[in-house]
Amino acid sequence: MNESDIDRLLRAQAPDVPVPPGLETRVRASLRAAPRKRLSPAWLAASAAALVILAVIAAPKRPAGPVVRQPDPVSSPSAEIPAGLPTNPLDHEARAIRNDAERTGRFLINCLPSLGMAEK
Amino acid sequence: MASVDPEDTRLARESRAGSLEAFDGIVRRHHASVFGFLLGLTRNRHDAEDLTQETFLRAWRKIRRFDPSKPILPWLLTIARRLSIAMLRKRKPAPVPEAEPVVLPSVSPETPDLWQLAERHLSADAFSALWLHYREELPLAEVGRIIGKREGAVKVLLHRARNTLAGQLRPSPPPLPATPPPLPSIWNNARTTP
């Protein structure tokens, strides 16, 4: 007997399972005894309250006064030219270039101390 | 995909809308299939009954998630299988109850019932696959979805199951005699004569 014979026999001999007589009634009764779960109003209120609390906690806090920008600890502000309101738009560029040049100079002196000695 | 019964579709739609009477219709149409499948998995009539009840309860609670354009029986059987696995996991430390036969004995004792052989010689997964494909006439993809395997794996499972059954039905060779037959006399003569 080969596989196709088995295939044919399995189809032909599909068994009938005897179902217990009261099973359908039992299932239907259990469906009526346990109604579908719904969200109760208490749960809805509790979840809404939790959402509100979360929103309050997570909301970004506004600062009370004006923001004071802390000076950058890496670059010493005394060495740089203080920034004022530029009258000429090119002043800003010029100041930035000067600051860059000073920073570069300081970097080179720090890295190559002999350069500072030679300048003296 | 298995063909969708229009009556099942209608009942599923009405059940989704909240009609318990429509869901009763689904219970009436499919409780036998669910019970048969669960009996094959658990091999215990009492467990299969409890799980059938639990399956329909779960299905009623989750009916809103069901897509009525799809056949409902594979969905019910998937729930049933998951519940049976959960139940067997919970019961693991306890002694396994004695397995009950799922299929009735064949009418004529001369012709062995293939399904009885399947029950005796196949693993639970193989028997489930066989049951779903041949008894419930579900396509391989649907069978795979229910038992948590790919279509290819189901094909292999069924092929092996059929081979096992074919091996069981093959006529066995004649049994060997308990004592070997006596040697021919010529052999004895050859040993005694120089």
Side-chain angles (χ1 to χ4, degrees):
Chain A
M1 191 170 276
N2 59 18
E3 217 189 311
S4 64
D5 292 334
I6 297 288
D7 187 84
R8 191 176 42 76
L9 277 173
L10 283 170
R11 282 183 207 284
Q13 294 183 354
D16 273 331
V17 180
V19 182
L23 183 62
E24 191 189 335
T25 322
R26 192 179 144 187
V27 171
R28 287 161 71 162
S30 73
L31 288 171
R32 273 153 186 83
R36 216 188 300 193
K37 276 183 188 170
R38 286 179 192 278
L39 279 179
S40 66
W43 272 106
L44 284 174
S47 52
L51 274 176
V52 168
I53 291 167
L54 273 176
V56 167
I57 292 169
K61 286 176 184 169
R62 280 190 187 171
V67 179
V68 180
R69 187 171 287 177
Q70 294 293 321
D72 189 7
V74 177
S75 58
S76 56
S78 58
E80 291 181 7
I81 297 160
L85 282 172
T87 48
N88 186 348
L90 283 176
D91 277 358
H92 182 77
E93 291 294 320
R95 204 178 301 124
I97 290 168
R98 232 174 292 150
N99 284 345
D100 279 351
E102 275 195 22
R103 254 185 249 122
T104 313
R106 249 181 282 127
F107 172 76
L108 283 173
I109 287 165
N110 288 339
C111 289
L112 308 163
S114 58
L115 200 67
M117 296 288 283
E119 275 180 2
K120 283 175 190 172
Chain B
M1 189 190 275
S3 59
V4 186
D5 190 320
E7 180 64 8
D8 272 355
T9 309
R10 185 186 67 79
L11 291 172
R13 281 221 168 98
E14 288 177 14
S15 302
R16 266 169 62 103
S19 163
L20 192 52
E21 286 70 33
F23 197 77
D24 281 346
I26 292 174
V27 173
R28 192 181 55 248
R29 288 166 71 89
H30 298 295
H31 77 284
S33 295
V34 172
F35 174 76
F37 176 63
L38 283 167
L39 190 57
L41 284 176
T42 60
R43 310 273 166 105
N44 182 293
R45 200 162 282 273
H46 183 71
D47 286 346
E49 276 182 44
D50 285 351
L51 285 171
T52 305
Q53 185 179 325
E54 189 59 34
T55 299
F56 281 104
L57 256 178
R58 184 72 61 93
W60 170 239
R61 283 182 186 147
K62 311 265 179 196
I63 191 76
R64 280 175 204 280
R65 292 188 196 170
F66 175 68
D67 177 4
S69 63
K70 291 180 178 170
I72 198 163
L73 182 61
W75 184 65
L76 291 171
L77 296 178
T78 308
I79 296 174
R81 184 174 174 271
R82 282 185 191 153
L83 287 173
S84 76
I85 289 171
M87 190 205 70
L88 291 173
R89 267 193 202 140
K90 271 185 203 164
R91 193 178 285 180
K92 221 171 186 178
V96 181
E98 200 177 324
E100 286 179 31
V102 176
V103 288
L104 289 174
S106 54
V107 180
S108 59
E110 295 84 31
T111 54
D113 193 319
L114 264 184
W115 286 97
Q116 283 181 50
L117 284 176
E119 209 180 341
R120 246 178 275 149
H121 297 283
L122 299 181
S123 66
D125 260 359
F127 185 77
S128 294
L130 215 66
W131 184 274
L132 294 170
H133 188 59
Y134 289 102
R135 170 68 165 70
E136 301 299 339
E137 297 177 348
L138 293 177
L140 296 179
E142 213 67 85
V143 174
R145 227 165 285 152
I146 294 168
I147 65 171
K149 288 190 190 298
R150 288 183 188 167
E151 192 178 337
V154 174
K155 217 178 267 184
V156 172
L157 201 64
L158 288 175
H159 169 73
R160 286 183 184 158
R162 283 189 297 256
N163 272 349
T164 307
L165 293 177
Q168 292 297 322
L169 287 179
R170 227 165 268 145
S172 52
L176 292 170
T179 52
L183 290 169
S185 56
I186 189 167
W187 175 254
N188 293 331
N189 293 343
R191 280 181 73 185
T192 50
T193 52

